[in-house]
């Protein structure tokens, strides 16, 4: 437990290890004068999972010590471990823990990263601030749910039955003609963003599934269409990650170190399995139905198993914005100007707390039937 307390405290201090001796985590008043800041434990950590009050930290002064009456250590643990998902068993039709079920969503605080607010309050109590070297990062990610719409039998026949003869024939003639094959355009947009921001991380998450049900369609990782795409992405400087099955299935072994679950459908047992197969970084942690900070932080954080209280080596990267969250009628259903306004607000918040901007735009959504071919460059320009 001491390891977890030390890690959370250091995380709240933005990694400033030298400030740790100035912070006490104790209810013993006789010890308070030893510290510049004291956090009073609520005695739930390691014993009982209780939903914390969603509020700004309550503090008072005892002599020269700032005392936090709010247990910001336990509260931070509750959010970054996803302990709430053990207490609250509600799930949507896809088995996901949605924003509408979360108590932070019910309190209309999805876009306010409370853990980062705790950090600033603790630093101020110590007369310190976020280190100047601590800069916000930009991570541009793309889930490759499909490479093409028409070059496989079912997709081609479906297009022909809908009368989309020209699209089907053009796709069969050359992969780059298929409306789902937008990789050249995405690479150009992402490289422009990288040049303007002195670098970005770019990741494409690749499906390794059987392609049935909600995993349909599955591209063949051994066929030339995929191999051509893979070479293009690697030559562009992008990293590749695993896009795991909607049904929670994971391969026995994988060479990938990065991961995002299909449909953002990732449970606590699956997170343990990710560690077992060697995944080091997960990019799933966002709500599909609403924009918001699922971990209540916009900074990458090591996952703490809320049942075993193990500080794991799996780093969770909070998802900032997903294309379909903004546009889909069963999610936020925003028009392009509303979507841009929401996106700017989230980006400004992440900048404020020196977090990591993680965007998810699907290659197959960059087409004439959505506004994302216009919205994505606008967001990148704003960044």
């Amino acid at each position: 437990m001491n390891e977890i307390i030390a890690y959370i405290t250091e995380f709240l201090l933005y990694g400033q290890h030298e400030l740790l001796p100035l912070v006490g985590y104790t209810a013993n008043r006789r010890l308070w004068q030893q510290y510049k800041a004291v956090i009073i434990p609520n005695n739930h950590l390691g014993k009982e999972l209780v939903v914390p009050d969603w509020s700004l930290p309550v503090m008072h002064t005892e002599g020269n010590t700032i005392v936090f009456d709010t247990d910001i250590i336990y509260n931070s643990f509750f959010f970054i471990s996803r302990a709430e998902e053990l207490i609250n068993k509600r799930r949507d039709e896809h088995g996901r823990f949605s924003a509408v079920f979360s108590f932070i969503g019910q309190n209309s605080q999805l876009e306010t990263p409370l853990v980062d607010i705790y950090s600033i309050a603790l630093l101020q109590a110590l007369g310190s601030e976020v280190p100047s070297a601590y800069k916000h990062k930009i991570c541009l990610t793309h889930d490759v749910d499909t490479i093409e719409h028409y070059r496989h039998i079912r997709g081609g026949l479906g297009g022909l039955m809908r009368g989309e003869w020209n699209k089907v024939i053009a796709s069969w003639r050359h992969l780059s003609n298929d409306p789902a094959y937008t990789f050249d355009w995405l690479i150009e947009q992402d490289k422009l963003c990288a040049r303007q921001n002195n670098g970005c991380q770019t990741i494409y998450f690749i499906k390794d599934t059987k392609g049935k049900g909600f995993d349909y369609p599955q591209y063949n990782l051994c066929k030339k269409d995929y191999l051509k795409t893979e070479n293009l992405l690697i030559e562009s400087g992008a990293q590749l990650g695993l896009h795991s099955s909607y049904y929670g299935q994971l391969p026995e072994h994988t060479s990938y170190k990065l991961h995002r679950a299909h449909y953002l459908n990732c449970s606590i047992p699956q997170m343990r399995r990710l560690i077992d197969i060697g995944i080091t970084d997960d990019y799933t942690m966002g709500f599909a139905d609403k924009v918001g900070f699922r971990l209540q932080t916009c900074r990458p954080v090591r996952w703490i198993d809320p049942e075993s209280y193990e500080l794991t080596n799996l780093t969770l990267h909070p998802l900032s914005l997903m294309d379909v969250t903004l546009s889909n009628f069963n999610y936020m259903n925003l028009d392009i100007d509303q979507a841009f306004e929401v996106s700017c607000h989230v980006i400004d918040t992440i900048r404020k707390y020196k977090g990591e901007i993680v965007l998810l735009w699907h290659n197959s959504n960059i087409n004439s039937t959505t506004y994302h071919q216009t919205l994505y460059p606008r967001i990148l320009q704003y960044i």
Side-chain angles (χ1 to χ4, degrees), residues 186-205:
L186 283 171
I187 289 169
E188 180 184 355
Q189 300 303 315
D190 292 352
K191 284 188 173 181
L192 179 60
C193 182
R195 288 195 297 269
Q196 293 174 338
N197 290 279
N198 195 28
C200 299
Q201 182 183 22
T202 304
I203 309 170
Y204 289 82
F205 290 98

Side-chain angles (χ1 to χ4, degrees), residues 170-232:
S171 175
W172 285 353
R173 284 177 175 169
H174 201 279
L175 175 62
S176 61
N177 294 331
D178 193 280
Y181 195 86
T182 58
F183 300 104
D184 293 311
W185 185 86
L186 283 171
I187 289 169
E188 180 184 355
Q189 300 303 315
D190 292 352
K191 284 188 173 181
L192 179 60
C193 182
R195 288 195 297 269
Q196 293 174 338
N197 290 279
N198 195 28
C200 299
Q201 182 183 22
T202 304
I203 309 170
Y204 289 82
F205 290 98
I206 306 301
K207 287 167 67 176
D208 184 7
T209 69
K210 295 180 180 179
K212 296 180 180 179
F214 284 99
D215 286 334
Y216 173 84
Q218 176 60 38
Y219 34 90
N220 191 319
L221 301 183
C222 297
K223 293 297 180 74
K224 64 179 182 179
D225 279 358
Y226 171 74
L227 294 175
K228 174 184 176 180
T229 304
E230 181 184 68
N231 289 335
L232 175 69

Side-chain angles (χ1 to χ4, degrees), residues 5 23-35 37-44 47 60 62 65-71 73:
I5 293 170
V23 182
Y25 189 51
T26 177
N28 189 340
R29 299 174 70 94
R30 290 176 295 180
L31 301 177
W32 289 0
Q33 62 182 356
Q34 301 178 17
Y35 304 104
V38 166
I39 303 161
I40 301 178
N42 60 16
N43 297 320
H44 293 307
K47 298 178 182 178
H60 73 276
E62 294 270 346
T65 303
I66 303 295
V67 179
F68 283 75
D69 300 287
T70 303
D71 187 348
I73 300 294

Side-chain angles (χ1 to χ4, degrees), residues 98-365:
S98 298
V100 294
F101 305 146
S102 173
F103 90 98
I104 56 175
Q106 293 166 7
N107 285 280
S108 302
Q109 300 293 346
L110 286 173
E111 297 173 32
T112 305
L114 185 58
V115 173
D116 297 325
I117 292 175
Y118 292 158
S119 286
I120 300 303
L122 183 57
L123 288 173
Q124 289 175 345
L126 298 175
S128 186
E129 58 186 14
V130 178
S132 58
Y134 213 104
K135 306 292 185 183
H136 75 268
K137 299 178 181 179
I138 302 167
C139 185
L140 309 176
T141 75
H142 308 286
D143 290 358
V144 185
D145 292 343
T146 184
I147 293 174
E148 39 75 22
H149 288 316
Y150 300 116
R151 287 169 67 85
H152 56 286
I153 295 175
R154 181 174 167 182
L157 290 176
L160 293 174
M161 292 176 65
R162 292 190 298 271
E164 299 169 343
W165 290 76
N166 291 338
K167 293 180 180 180
V168 174
I169 293 172
S171 175
W172 285 353
R173 284 177 175 169
H174 201 279
L175 175 62
S176 61
N177 294 331
D178 193 280
Y181 195 86
T182 58
F183 300 104
D184 293 311
W185 185 86
L186 283 171
I187 289 169
E188 180 184 355
Q189 300 303 315
D190 292 352
K191 284 188 173 181
L192 179 60
C193 182
R195 288 195 297 269
Q196 293 174 338
N197 290 279
N198 195 28
C200 299
Q201 182 183 22
T202 304
I203 309 170
Y204 289 82
F205 290 98
I206 306 301
K207 287 167 67 176
D208 184 7
T209 69
K210 295 180 180 179
K212 296 180 180 179
F214 284 99
D215 286 334
Y216 173 84
Q218 176 60 38
Y219 34 90
N220 191 319
L221 301 183
C222 297
K223 293 297 180 74
K224 64 179 182 179
D225 279 358
Y226 171 74
L227 294 175
K228 174 184 176 180
T229 304
E230 181 184 68
N231 289 335
L232 175 69
L233 300 179
I234 292 174
E235 289 174 2
S236 76
Q239 295 175 275
L240 302 184
L242 173 67
H243 196 36
S244 62
S245 171
Y246 168 91
Y247 302 98
Q249 300 162 344
L250 290 168
E252 290 296 321
H253 307 282
T254 181
S255 60
Y256 297 120
K257 298 298 181 183
L258 315 180
H259 169 265
R260 178 181 286 130
H262 194 31
Y263 274 70
L264 304 185
N265 200 351
C266 190
S267 64
I268 287 174
Q270 187 185 25
M271 291 163 72
R272 298 183 185 122
R273 177 72 178 130
L274 291 176
I275 298 169
D276 291 341
I277 65 172
I279 296 294
T280 60
D281 295 78
D282 176 79
Y283 292 78
T284 307
M285 284 298 115
F287 295 115
D289 54 330
K290 289 187 179 180
V291 170
F293 298 107
R294 185 171 176 181
L295 299 171
Q296 283 294 281
T297 180
C298 56
R299 293 177 283 149
V301 62
R302 287 171 66 184
W303 181 54
I304 302 169
D305 190 313
E307 290 185 300
S308 68
Y309 289 92
E310 176 188 0
L311 176 62
T312 75
N313 290 322
L314 178 65
T315 297
L316 305 180
H317 297 258
L319 177 60
S320 312
L321 295 164
M322 179 169 69
D323 49 7
V324 294
T325 301
L326 299 167
S327 59
N328 279 22
F329 74 92
N330 55 331
Y331 294 153
M332 295 184 75
N333 195 27
L334 304 177
D335 64 33
I336 187 169
D337 292 327
Q338 292 170 326
F340 182 67
E341 182 179 356
V342 168
S343 300
C344 291
H345 171 70
V346 171
I347 291 166
D348 289 343
T349 301
I350 295 171
R351 281 179 174 150
K352 176 180 178 180
Y353 294 105
K354 304 296 191 295
E356 184 178 61
I357 301 170
V358 180
L359 304 186
L360 164 51
W361 253 252
H362 296 77
N363 63 289
S364 50
N365 283 341

